[in-house]
Amino acid sequence: MTEITGEEFNKLLAVSGEISGYKVLSDGLSFIILPDLNEIYIKNCTFIGDSIKVKSNPFNLEQSIYFSDVNFYNENRLAFDNCTFKNLIFTQVHLKCIIEVNTPNIESLRLERLTANSSFVMDGNIKSVFITMSTFSNIIICDKLYSFEFSIYKCSLEGLTIINSKIERYTNLKNKFLRQINASADHFYRSVELGSFYFAENVIGQNVELRSCNITKNLELRKNKTSEKALSIRFENCEIKGKLKFTENHLSKLIFKDIEVQNDAHFDDLKVDSIYFSDLIFHKNTYIDNLTINKLEECERKTLRQIKYSIQKTDNKIDYNRFRAYELTAYYRELKWYGDFIDKFVLGATILSTGYNHSWRRALLFTIGFGLFWYSTLYFLQHHGHFSIYELNNYFNGAFRFFLVTDFSSPFEEKGKYLQTAWLWIPLILGKIFIAFGIYEMIQAFRKFKA
């Protein structure tokens, strides 16, 4: 590979618009000045030195530049300042420096199989950005970058930051994020505006955060997974005017705070360790089929209640009963025996009888178990603790009469004769109460899917 200086490189480029097979030694003061050619190709080259600044003719709107199989070993930055391109394309390029794209206009910026050990900064007027099979330490989209399409596919990134920008469509597919994704507004009077937001089949290292964002179309997050060190996906102070589709994801924590969704919201087949909703407004239907929460003890009751209320509006009785049970479980954990004794006792009895999911089998076992317990107590008190195997038939005959809730006769004598000892009425009355409660809960369990 022939070594040339930055000045020699500019001369060669001005002649043909295509350079291949050179090692360019840049002293940091020279610039690569692109000529008035529509097609510029830089192939199989290596750049060594400090910063490289690229300039183009801002009046040539048809100019395109292609970097293919190029290595940039300059330690500071590769800057495209005040440039105008129809296409700026990197294919199989390696950089150790920061890339800065600050331009009046670029129709299409494409990065394919690009490896950058440091940040890639975009600040200017770019119509579309396509990044595929590339590796970055960070991508930063700064102020003044408006109305463009942004797509990332099969990339490995440390982090992604979008600040005070407007994106017509954002697509994030099959990427690996080792650290954080953040879209936010630095100041309260400015925001990130996204057209449609598609985020699918990614592996998330830590955080995904959208703050003060206005999504004018649909927000879809689908089939995303978290790594072992994942923290949370957080949406705060955002307005979603289209549909919210958050389906088939497997996440650590999902946080929605001060969110307004104008259209339908879907959380189907979502798996999370914990979930948090606060000041979340759904103007239309919310579909939450098969939502799985692995750590219910970390969820607040108001979040579970809001999910339950949203499910109720779609007439989904199965998931409604499930989240009603989750809400009661959370409420039971909040109550104290001292000060909340009555509510704690009633909910505790519900746990014993059917559980909050209204199991008829559990109610049946509760009724039989406690009924036999109080009947056996009464039987042994009546017979002074004596029991003979030959009296087994009489024992069960009395038990059947004991289970008749409205019959307060002595179960050991003919109907119409009552217990003669006052304190024997205690297990009789308690037994009737437990049996009646168990029967009532069993009926409710059979009716749990009714209106």
Side-chain angles (χ1 to χ4, degrees), residues 239-284:
E239 182 179 2
I240 304 169
K241 295 182 179 179
K243 292 183 179 180
L244 171 64
K245 295 183 179 180
F246 210 109
T247 58
E248 300 179 80
N249 292 288
H250 189 186
L251 308 172
S252 175
K253 182 180 288 186
L254 175 63
I255 301 173
F256 280 162
K257 186 175 182 181
D258 193 15
I259 304 296
E260 185 174 354
V261 183
Q262 299 286 349
N263 214 310
D264 293 342
H266 299 261
F267 295 90
D268 301 332
D269 300 309
L270 174 63
K271 295 181 180 180
V272 295
D273 289 339
S274 64
I275 191 167
Y276 175 80
F277 286 169
S278 176
D279 297 324
L280 180 60
I281 301 174
F282 295 112
H283 288 279
K284 293 190 177 181

Side-chain angles (χ1 to χ4, degrees), residues 135-236:
T135 303
F136 296 93
S137 63
N138 202 359
I139 294 179
I140 303 172
I141 300 175
C142 298
D143 299 351
K144 298 180 293 185
L145 193 56
Y146 296 122
S147 300
F148 73 108
E149 182 176 346
F150 186 35
S151 300
I152 307 177
Y153 176 69
K154 284 188 176 181
C155 295
S156 179
L157 310 173
E158 286 286 340
L160 169 65
T161 302
I162 304 172
I163 304 173
N164 296 334
S165 299
K166 179 179 179 181
I167 302 176
E168 294 292 339
R169 177 174 173 79
Y170 174 55
T171 302
N172 207 310
L173 180 63
K174 294 184 178 181
N175 299 298
K176 184 176 182 180
F177 292 90
L178 304 179
R179 188 167 48 85
Q180 179 165 301
I181 304 168
N182 180 54
S184 66
D186 282 348
H187 309 290
F188 68 91
Y189 56 86
R190 302 189 64 184
S191 66
V192 175
E193 182 171 330
L194 304 174
S196 58
F197 187 104
Y198 182 70
F199 192 87
E201 299 182 56
N202 300 292
V203 178
I204 306 160
Q206 288 188 359
N207 294 340
V208 176
E209 295 187 358
L210 267 68
R211 300 172 184 264
S212 301
C213 293
N214 180 19
I215 301 174
T216 60
K217 296 180 181 177
N218 296 334
L219 168 62
E220 182 172 356
L221 293 93
R222 186 170 180 266
K223 291 185 178 180
N224 298 291
K225 296 182 179 180
T226 53
S227 63
E228 294 179 357
K229 298 181 180 179
L231 295 178
S232 66
I233 291 186
R234 184 185 187 99
F235 296 86
E236 183 172 344

Side-chain angles (χ1 to χ4, degrees), residues 19 97 136 162 236 288 350 357 367 374 400 404:
I19 291 184
C97 58
F136 296 93
I162 304 172
E236 183 172 344
I288 311 180
T350 304
N357 60 345
T367 305
W374 288 113
F400 283 119
L404 296 175

